[in-house]
Amino acid sequence: MAPTSSSATPIHRSSSRPQLDLSGAAIQGNIEERDPTILLPNQSDDISHLALDIGGSLIKLVYFSRHEDRPTDDKRKKSLKERLGVSNGTRRSYPILGGRLHFVKFETRKINECLDFIYSKQLHRGGIDPRGWTSEPQVNENAIIKATGGGAYKFADMFKERLGVSIEKEDEMNCLVAGANFLLKAIRHEAFTHMEGQKNFVQIDQNDLFPYLLVNIGSGVSMIKVDGDGKFERVSGTNVGGGTYWGLGRLMTKCKSFDELLELSQRGDNKEVDMLVGDIYGGMDYAKIGLSASTIASSFGKTISDNKELEDYRPEDISLSLLRMISYNIGQIAYLNALRFGLKRIFFGGFFIRGHAYTMDTISFAVHFWSKGDAKAMFLRHEGFLGALGAFMSYEKHGLDDLMAHQFVERFPMGAPCVGGKIHGPPLGDLSDKARNPIFTSKNILFADYNSERGHDSREEDQTIIISGVIVHHISWMEKFVQKGTEILAPVPMAPPGTTGLGGFERPSSKGETLRSDDAALNVGVLHLVPTLEVFPLLVDPKTYEPNTIDLSDHSELEYWFTVLSEHLPDLVDKAVASEGGTDDARRRGDAFARAFSAHLARLMEEPAAYGKLGLANLLELREECLREFQFLDAYRTIKQRENEASLAVLPDLLMELDSMSEESRLLTLIEGVLAANIFDWGSRACVELYHKGTIIEIYRMSRKKMQRPWRVDDFDAFRERMLGSGGNKPVPHKRALLFVDNSGADVVLGMLPLARELLRPNLSVRLAYTQNAENNFKGNCPNIHSGIPCLARYVVLVANSLPALNDVTAIELPEIVAEAAKHCDVLRKAAEAGGLLMDAMINIQDASKDDSSSVPLMVVENGCGSPCIDLRQVSSELAAAAKNADLIILEGMGRALHTNYNARFRCDTLKLAMVKNQRLAEKLVKGNIYDCVCRYEPAS
Ligand SMILES: CC(C)(COP(=O)(O)O)[C@@H](O)C(=O)NCCC(=O)O
Ligand SMILES: [Mn+2]
């Protein structure tokens, strides 16, 4: 390895900070050392990771937490990266480490809760402990916290007194703009339109973002023309804003909170208060100027002619009328300013909106109506956090600003502490250091605050303790947490389509129901920053790429998959609990997982766009994430092992059978084998029922027997021609094939590995294409065999999941499986040995970097995912590197080749192979039936 120089320093990953300042870095000690210590003289210890926006009514808080250390195969990864020529150190000058951005809010009047929260999480102490952020931080006298909003001034002393930190004030407009720019560039599903109850996400092109009008609706309203990063002008505003609605509303309805007032509006009917066009025109439209009879002609206008007092009006009607008056007015002024500066896009933010359908519909209506459809009102999912995010961005050297959309992954754990107050606590990521909360089993149930309970171990069995004659049961904090989380996620009606119409606003049809409280309307998750994620380089057009084949915005589709996933849940919980030894703790977590996942599903059924644009892949991934949240790290572990063993036992026979065939019939048998073995899928209800009817081998045989061509989608002949040629014409072999493998057991052992072997074995049908290539010393074309005979593909990369999902094989497990298979197969053994793959599996390879990177015929690479599907906009840097010279992709399985990527176009030859194990999908996608097969071959685009 080349000695490290201070100018091109690879990241020396510290586990203690979210970012490093590498300026002036120098090696300490011997530069010949493999991992020398690097001195970072400018790395300060007081990097804060918390920022606040303290407004008149709400405190918004954004904080960063470092990723928990996952058990990773770092050595193997490192050697792989070296072989693939991937360097970490070239992209940025001060890299950020992986971590998470959390969004939390509190009512300003409950500022003490906010301070408690900061204290309980030690957020004011800025990650200065070398052991990591989660351990006890040390005191830092000079710590500062960036904050914006009026409260940054008002409460500065309180922060100093209670937490010992100074507030560094940041300009509010600067922060709003920085926050909005960051979100619009970094978060894929951030901006959306909202018309007549329909939410549609808008894909923003980073390079075509400016100029736009940012309308921030807080207590008052600011209108800012944004021309670039840090380039903006506050062009207008209005004093009639959220404070006006709340203030007038409070006086007129006696409501105690903003949310209560908003909730009232949900049940209101504004025509009792507002004067409509129809009231003036005897029930008629004023069509000539485009006004329908239901258009509001004068807000509160009806009250002048009625002989009534305030008490005679329903508070619900007053609230709705007020809400519409103010929203409409803001929409209209915003439009006029957009017109003034020729701006087509208007983004509305600020906590006034609160994801409230009527508010958004009213603003959209105003913009649409006055601009005659020319300008568009858009809303932001993180609407209330613009200022706090901007303040966070104002810390220097966090490296966030040059991260890209594909490096952010948003997750929605139950434990996301998005709401302040009593119910908060750690994310559920690490159960081992979570507290338990006593429930007093006398008549009153009291929940103790999490903070006072820190340090207990939730894995202890339940205990019954008697304190002063009162029986106290301990239950895990988790149950309380899930209970609360379930409430937050509980579905409540949002405004259905058709609440507004051109010319006026109809009576809300979700009358009588309660509106989701502001706390729960927070549709933002935890933002994971994964700097190593990349866009898969072989996509023809990453901008238009949509991973999901099934669009769940079609409600009947959503209902169907909701039912499928709900019905699968009991079986999944059984498997998950068994995978953890069936202990009481595992059962409790299993139950909590089931409740949490059901709550997510119910929430999404009610509001499919709640977590961003929803496709089937997102639902399937959510399930895996939810399992991980409850510490089920590999629910199908034992099943996978059993199936691997059974399949490996019959592999020698299969290989013998294959070796007796001609090249042509062997290729067909191999593809048949992949399709047949894809039946081993523990995510398919139909397949799981089959498994009760026979042994693994019996099912495999039965499945192979049924492989009648033509398959439902059958491009095998074109594939065969490309691979083996026809009529004496020898095709050019592929250089590098990426095989995206799917399930453990027969699927990989009897399906994909024999196919990989076929690609790597000498094959007389293809041309000797590489003999002239001077950079390689091989006599022949097939580095693993040295036979002088070419192979169908020179290098084969097995691409497997980074994390478990159902019974999918992972990149960690695969080398061992290859090692076992290689005991029966020279081709695999030589290919894998040349790449150090087998050594990785069998002994902990000491120095993989000695390998000649050009002689790695068979490699295993992780894909960066933990889902049965794959979104190729976010893959591991290893996979992206491996893909650079690839000219053949084989995507296998229903998740990777059908649910996602069925319609994806690639810049190289692509084969999509899967058995369709769901009747509805078979009908919809291929007009066929369950167990039909897809062999879709697409030459390079
Ligand atoms: C989760 C899966 C995509 C996994 O399939 P695979 O990729 O392993 O072929 C698939 O099992 C699935 O879509 N299951 C749900 C449908 C059903 O149970 O019918
Ligand atoms: Mn699978």
Side-chain angles (χ1 to χ4, degrees), residues 678 680-683 741-744 747 801 805-809 867-869 892-896 917:
N678 193 235
F680 292 98
D681 164 13
W682 283 86
V741 298
D742 181 6
N743 302 321
S744 301
D747 200 4
N801 261 21
L806 293 165
N807 58 322
D808 291 356
V809 66
S867 154
C869 300
E892 193 239 337
M894 195 161 145
R896 290 166 191 83
K917 291 153 290 188

Side-chain angles (χ1 to χ4, degrees), residues 448-523:
D449 192 286
Y450 158 74
N451 299 326
S452 59
E453 290 287 306
R454 290 196 82 154
H456 293 259
D457 183 348
S458 69
R459 288 173 188 253
E460 289 163 22
E461 292 304 306
D462 280 358
Q463 296 163 17
T464 303
I465 306 167
I466 300 177
I467 302 173
S468 313
V470 180
I471 301 168
V472 178
H473 284 298
H474 272 82
I475 63 152
S476 103
W477 64 276
M478 180 172 63
E479 274 132 29
K480 171 192 149 192
F481 217 51
V482 171
Q483 182 191 344
K484 195 64 199 170
T486 312
E487 276 169 31
I488 288 174
L489 295 173
V492 290
M494 301 298 283
T499 52
T500 63
L502 191 75
F505 308 102
E506 306 302 333
R507 186 189 171 97
S509 52
S510 51
K511 236 180 121 238
E513 306 277 8
T514 50
L515 176 77
R516 185 192 311 285
S517 79
D518 174 37
D519 288 352
L522 204 56
N523 292 338

Side-chain angles (χ1 to χ4, degrees), residues 19-34:
Q19 74 263 340
L20 296 176
D21 184 353
L22 297 187
S23 57
I27 290 171
Q28 196 182 35
N30 183 4
I31 57 165
E32 301 294 322
E33 262 179 56
R34 254 182 86 69

